[in-house]
Amino acid sequence: MAYPTVSAPYGLKPVNLIGGQVFAGGTRLMQIASGYATSIFYGDLVKRVAGGTIELDNGTTTATPTGIFLGVQFTNGSTGQVQQQQFYPASQAIKSGSQIFAVVADDPDTLFQVVSCNATTVVTAMGITAIGSNVALIQNAGSTTTGNSKVAINTTTLATTPALPIRIIDVVRETATGADAFVEFIVKININTHQYTTPTGVA
């Protein structure tokens, strides 16, 4: 069976949980502050901030996410209609008295599929020896056409450094470009950086 070529990153997509547990689509609704002026795309990392809302987490080597953004719902300020969509547009106008809620995959045990790049959106393969490494992120801007993130893991940053936000758990063999050349990986947010498992709170 032929698999499609991976030509660009698409952010982090939940696939299952550690130990082979099924990802059943469990998410949490988290509030975005009215007027928040940064777009957030499907597959982007988000973090809790002071005041109880969430924002885009655009860290590369020092991200401290609470989860992955999987969509948004709000009442449009112009039409008065409830909208559910793939990404949050920066400074989205909403109906007076209403709120904006993001859909977030926040379970610290969630495993995600992600593309490896060496610069911006240049897809770059790594070998099986990448498994077990910690790795930094590349924070590319998402697409307002598809609503999808373009975040990737950075092939040039493999290390044992505990502060790096992502741990590589496995390779995706179906889209390998060679015998030991993988462009998609299964990853997990590191225990030292996920906001539910790090001892550092949000003040």
Side-chain angles (χ1 to χ4, degrees):
M1 178 178 179
Y3 288 88
T5 300
V6 178
S7 59
Y10 45 70
L12 281 74
K13 292 183 178 180
V15 290
N16 59 5
L17 307 181
I18 57 175
Q21 303 172 79
V22 175
F23 176 71
T27 54
R28 186 178 304 278
L29 291 180
M30 298 184 179
Q31 189 174 342
I32 298 173
S34 177
Y36 179 59
T38 301
S39 295
I40 311 175
F41 296 88
Y42 187 101
D44 276 347
L45 290 83
V46 291
K47 62 182 178 181
R48 288 279 191 190
V49 296
T53 58
I54 62 165
E55 296 181 356
L56 176 70
D57 188 340
N58 59 6
T60 55
T61 60
T62 58
T64 54
T66 197
I68 303 299
F69 179 90
L70 300 179
V72 67
Q73 62 184 49
F74 55 86
T75 302
N76 189 291
S78 299
T79 66
Q81 300 296 309
V82 175
Q83 288 183 218
Q84 296 176 327
Q85 58 188 50
Q86 191 92 336
F87 80 103
Y88 166 77
S91 305
Q92 173 65 48
I94 60 172
K95 182 179 179 181
S96 177
S98 67
Q99 297 170 326
I100 307 166
F101 288 100
V103 180
V104 180
D106 68 337
D107 188 335
D109 287 344
T110 305
L111 299 182
F112 302 93
Q113 186 168 305
V114 66
V115 173
S116 57
C117 296
N118 71 354
T120 60
T121 59
V122 181
V123 177
T124 305
M126 295 190 289
I128 197 170
T129 56
I131 294 175
S133 295
N134 293 336
V135 66
L137 296 159
I138 300 175
Q139 293 282 357
N140 301 302
S143 168
T144 56
T145 301
T146 66
N148 291 332
S149 170
K150 292 185 181 180
V151 169
I153 54 173
N154 190 336
T155 61
T156 68
T157 61
L158 297 182
T160 59
T161 309
L164 289 173
I166 300 296
R167 170 70 58 85
I168 298 175
I169 304 298
D170 205 352
V171 299
V172 176
R173 298 181 183 276
E174 291 81 0
T175 54
T177 58
D180 188 34
F182 305 97
V183 295
E184 290 182 303
F185 292 83
I186 304 302
V187 302
K188 180 181 179 294
I189 299 172
N190 255 331
I191 191 171
N192 288 337
T193 60
H194 195 294
Q195 286 186 313
Y196 291 174
T197 52
T198 178
T200 304
V202 177

